[in-house]
Amino acid sequence: MSDVNPMRPAAYQPDERARLRLIGEISKMAVSDLPSARVFTTALERTLQTFGLDVIAVYAGEPLTLRMQVGGVPARSGTAVPVGLALLAAAERKVMLVKDFRAEERWAPPPWASNAARAEVAIPIAYRGRRVGILDLCSPRADGFAEADLDTLGTVAELLAVIIAQESWGRVEVSSPELQRAYQRLQEFSELKAHILRNVSHELRTPLTLIKGHLELLLDDGPQALLSEQRKALLAVCDRVDDIVAIVDRTVSLSPTDDLSLAYERILVGDLLGEVVEAFERRARDSVVTLNVQPVARDLYLYGDADKIRQLCYNLLDNSVKFSPNGGQVTIQAQSEGDNVHFIFADQGIGIPERQLSQIFETFYQIDGSTTRRFGGLGLGLTVVNRIVDAHKGEIWVESEVDRGSVFHVLLPQNVPQEQR
Ligand code: ADP
């Protein structure tokens, strides 16, 4: 395996116009109302023709299996991917290239390539930071992939990621009556869950508001009315009531059927982050994790729902600290990036195994779901974060390494998106 070699016989090289045409065609199809399976196959066929390839295969799932193939020797969909370049690309999360199988004998083409295959490239297909598949291409020519080809193929992989994300392959094809019934039951459960969450939230919030009111009355009674120890104890109770209210609020904003309506306003990002960190430090007085807030440009602003974005930042900060070791450091950043504001929450904590990266945003999902788990929480924080990001038409992704730490990225449009105006 070796670095990309830009030198290659010119006759095989699609020119710039052919490359642009390919990208243009796939982009157009991706936003059309054609069925996604058709868009996918056509995109692969056009790529095969443009680059004169032997075979293109797409793998997905855990473990990786063959999902779609164009050219080469037909194989059954669902066949496990053998040890080779594609698995390495998945493990390393980067593009892997074999320039010539004859020169690099420890590599063999995948079984669905024809005998003519000489070079191979495997490209991770990633959406919002998580791998959704691998694009595997074989060329009948040694040195069959030039640097410019890899650029174009990288863009093809990005477009395929969007198509996969739109029409997730994880979704069940509702074909047989049994599946249809199961699907309907699932939907009923989901509605029931939302209903229970709403009711429980309401039932809890009312008495909590009352408790908080009485506590505040007691605390407002002037310094002489309470001994300092009593005042301290009441303040601690107040803080814990706030914690419960925050949990209840998270569940209220969860109902999958409710629209998360936003109250847009101009927000100064530095001020907002300052408030979040201050609120966090007030609540987590005994934390042994250092918060490192990077300076934010004074005039960095965005239009969004301030309460919701505060909650988003709070939840991410809360997780970063919760999953950090004692003495660890959490870095918080916000910067302008094109038309967006990019928030970053980086910790040096326990990290997240790659295969679980896609699941942590699911409702009630926790990596360690045992009753003896070390960390508190309900598995709701990230679901809420994800919903707030979606409502703002933003993006969220995470990079993580077990025992090294996690970095959560959030991109929020700086201005009100066209469709929300
Ligand atoms: P919880 O209330 O359990 O924190 P979240 O929805 O916020 O729920 O997170 C879901 C799961 O994702 C967590 O239980 C944890 O396993 C994982 N997770 C989230 N953030 C981090 C992080 N910064 N470091 C390591 N694991 C994390």
Side-chain angles (χ1 to χ4, degrees):
M1 201 181 33
S2 44
D3 285 343
V4 177
N5 179 359
M7 299 304 293
R8 202 178 49 149
Y12 300 125
Q13 197 147 14
D15 62 15
E16 194 59 26
R17 275 180 49 202
R19 287 174 211 288
L20 285 176
R21 206 167 38 238
L22 176 71
I23 298 300
E25 276 175 35
I26 301 178
S27 314
K28 249 194 235 152
M29 284 192 296
V31 293
S32 72
D33 49 9
L34 288 172
S36 58
R38 167 120 169 265
V39 174
F40 218 90
T41 324
T42 317
L44 296 189
E45 280 166 359
R46 289 287 301 115
T47 310
L48 185 103
Q49 288 159 6
T50 306
F51 290 92
L53 299 175
D54 177 65
V55 65
I56 304 187
V58 175
Y59 315 129
E62 200 66 61
L64 280 178
T65 55
L66 178 68
R67 290 292 168 89
M68 197 170 275
Q69 171 193 1
V70 177
V73 184
R76 208 163 39 85
S77 168
T79 308
V81 178
V83 175
L85 205 65
L87 285 186
L88 192 63
E92 297 280 324
R93 297 201 226 166
K94 58 182 187 200
V95 177
M96 290 287 163
L97 173 73
V98 172
K99 283 204 267 182
D100 187 1
F101 290 114
R102 291 189 201 159
E104 299 176 68
E105 280 174 2
R106 66 196 180 95
W107 294 101
W112 25 91
S114 76
N115 288 338
R118 289 286 297 273
E120 180 182 8
V121 63
I123 305 174
I125 307 174
Y127 185 72
R128 292 186 174 180
R130 86 186 159 88
R131 193 198 77 216
V132 290
I134 297 284
L135 179 65
D136 186 14
L137 312 99
C138 290
S139 165
R141 292 172 295 278
D143 271 351
F145 298 101
E147 202 158 10
D149 297 342
L150 294 179
D151 274 353
T152 309
L153 292 171
T155 311
V156 170
E158 280 166 19
L159 290 170
L160 295 181
V162 176
I163 302 170
I164 292 178
Q166 278 172 357
E167 195 85 6
S168 167
W169 282 0
R171 215 177 284 168
V172 182
E173 284 280 323
V174 185
S175 48
S176 73
E178 291 81 28
L179 272 180
Q180 249 163 16
R181 266 197 300 278
Y183 184 65
Q184 203 176 339
R185 295 268 294 151
L186 261 179
Q187 276 189 325
E188 283 164 12
F189 275 129
S190 164
E191 273 156 30
L192 185 67
K193 191 170 77 180
H195 179 73
I196 293 172
L197 277 174
R198 262 199 306 269
N199 279 354
V200 170
S201 305
H202 180 73
E203 293 300 314
L204 282 174
R205 221 180 185 302
T206 314
L208 282 171
T209 313
L210 210 75
I211 295 173
K212 186 82 196 290
H214 285 306
L215 284 170
E216 278 168 357
L217 267 180
L218 274 174
L219 286 163
D220 282 350
D221 258 358
Q224 345 35 337
L226 292 170
L227 298 174
S228 96
E229 285 305 306
Q230 290 172 323
R231 172 169 284 276
K232 244 167 102 190
L234 282 183
L235 279 171
V237 176
C238 252
D239 281 355
R240 296 292 82 88
V241 171
D242 282 344
D243 284 348
I244 305 175
V245 171
I247 294 175
V248 173
D249 282 347
R250 285 184 204 175
T251 55
V252 174
S253 53
L254 253 187
S255 160
T257 45
D258 288 352
D259 231 8
L260 199 65
S261 54
L262 301 180
Y264 274 96
E265 62 182 290
R266 190 171 192 275
I267 302 166
L268 276 174
V269 176
D271 289 356
L272 181 135
L273 276 183
E275 287 159 21
V276 170
V277 170
E278 198 189 307
F280 185 84
E281 283 176 332
R282 230 186 6 253
R283 294 255 293 275
R285 286 192 197 109
D286 38 354
S287 168
V288 278
V289 174
T290 312
L291 299 188
N292 170 12
V293 188
Q294 298 283 306
V296 176
R298 213 26 254 149
D299 55 352
L300 182 62
Y301 74 89
L302 70 82
Y303 279 90
D305 186 313
D307 278 344
K308 304 238 164 26
I309 297 176
R310 252 191 298 265
Q311 184 170 20
L312 174 163
C313 293
Y314 194 96
N315 289 5
L316 290 178
L317 177 59
D318 192 31
N319 277 347
S320 305
V321 171
K322 185 162 69 177
F323 296 104
S324 284
N326 285 352
Q329 179 162 300
V330 168
T331 306
I332 304 143
Q333 268 172 279
Q335 63 213 25
S336 164
E337 210 169 279
D339 296 334
N340 299 297
V341 175
H342 188 169
F343 293 84
I344 300 172
F345 295 83
D347 66 57
Q348 305 166 326
I350 59 171
I352 303 163
E354 200 199 336
R355 63 178 189 289
Q356 270 146 337
L357 280 177
S358 58
Q359 285 153 304
I360 55 173
F361 294 98
E362 288 168 16
T363 313
F364 297 126
Y365 187 85
Q366 298 182 309
I367 291 176
D368 178 0
S370 68
T371 48
T372 54
R373 69 194 151 85
R374 281 182 291 157
F375 307 98
L378 290 173
L380 289 175
L382 288 181
T383 312
V384 172
V385 167
N386 204 20
R387 288 205 61 202
I388 296 173
V389 171
D390 270 353
H392 282 88
K393 308 283 172 227
E395 273 184 55
I396 180 165
W397 70 98
V398 52
E399 297 163 318
S400 190
E401 213 177 313
V402 172
D403 293 334
R404 298 293 293 275
S406 310
V407 186
F408 280 79
H409 298 263
V410 172
L411 270 191
L412 295 181
Q414 204 158 14
N415 292 303
V416 185
Q418 193 69 41
E419 59 267 47
Q420 311 267 41
R421 279 182 199 162

